Amino acid sequence: MSFSEKIASLMQRPNEDLVPKDEVPWWMKYGGRGLGTVGGGLAIIFGLWNCSGILFINFGCAFAGLWQMVSGFIVIVIEAPCCCFFIDFVQTLSDFMEKRPYWNKAVLYMGFAIPPIVFCIGPTSFFGSALIFATGVIYGLMALGKKATPEEMRQNAVVNNLKPPLPFAGTRSSSNLVENAQPIAFTSTPIPPV
């Protein structure tokens, strides 16, 4: 058993299949999960710091702090349900989100990360939401899928170059937008009458 297989078996979820269903590399999958867990924890800490804005009558920062704490908790529940095993619905929510496509998580995490920065502009809002946003970016990259091999890309480039241009795309000289348009011709400067 290789080192990477040992790490993958340690990071495996309780009811996860041993055979991967997609072509996402294991390091990206577990990197996104780890970044989401750390980002969720930091979002809770920085959100608590933002909530202290209510002492200075800054309700925007207080709302941003509450938003960060809730979003950090939800990200931790989805990515690392073992951190919240004492709550009943955690495993159900985590399993539900695990069955969803990657782009759903990407949109959810990016949506969680933007409002605190809008309501309270500051370093705690930015750093608290940046890792959650980065987790969303990683899940977005995972949703794009595996890159094609160089041979497949060359073959697609050759096939696309052999296709004729689309009609009425303005690439041919005979295409006109108007039926009765006159062709463009060059005329010289008029000669003044003598």
Side-chain angles (χ1 to χ4, degrees):
M1 179 180 269
S2 69
F3 180 71
S4 62
E5 290 172 351
K6 288 180 184 178
I7 297 292
S9 67
L10 288 174
M11 300 276 297
Q12 188 175 2
R13 295 184 73 137
N15 294 324
E16 190 175 5
D17 294 334
L18 294 176
V19 179
K21 293 175 270 196
D22 49 8
E23 297 177 350
V24 176
W26 66 270
W27 57 269
M28 186 176 255
K29 190 181 298 184
Y30 295 124
R33 185 169 291 153
L35 186 64
T37 305
V38 171
L42 286 177
I44 291 172
I45 292 169
F46 286 128
L48 189 62
W49 183 263
N50 273 345
C51 282
S52 67
I54 200 151
L55 298 174
F56 304 111
I57 309 171
N58 189 349
F59 296 110
C61 284
F63 179 73
L66 287 174
W67 185 280
Q68 269 186 320
M69 290 186 344
V70 169
S71 63
F73 176 72
I74 291 173
V75 169
I76 287 177
V77 163
I78 292 172
E79 295 299 326
C82 61
C83 296
C84 306
F85 65 90
F86 50 87
I87 301 174
D88 294 337
F89 68 90
V90 167
Q91 193 63 40
T92 307
L93 178 65
S94 178
D95 290 340
F96 173 74
M97 286 304 291
E98 199 64 33
K99 294 174 186 168
R100 307 293 305 161
Y102 290 127
W103 68 268
N104 289 144
K105 282 186 181 181
V107 169
L108 181 72
Y109 292 164
M110 288 180 191
F112 278 158
I114 293 173
I117 297 171
V118 172
F119 286 113
C120 181
I121 299 172
T124 55
S125 297
F126 178 75
F127 291 128
S129 297
L131 291 178
I132 293 177
F133 191 84
T135 305
V137 168
I138 288 176
Y139 276 108
L141 290 174
M142 288 168 36
L144 288 176
K146 189 176 178 182
K147 184 178 173 182
T149 63
E151 293 81 25
E152 290 174 6
M153 288 190 278
R154 279 190 211 102
Q155 183 181 7
N156 286 340
V158 168
V159 168
N160 287 337
N161 286 337
L162 294 178
K163 290 181 182 177
L166 295 173
F168 306 113
T171 56
R172 298 185 306 184
S173 62
S174 63
S175 66
N176 291 327
L177 293 175
V178 181
E179 292 293 324
N180 59 358
Q182 298 296 319
I184 298 173
F186 177 74
T187 58
S188 63
T189 13
I191 301 173
V194 185

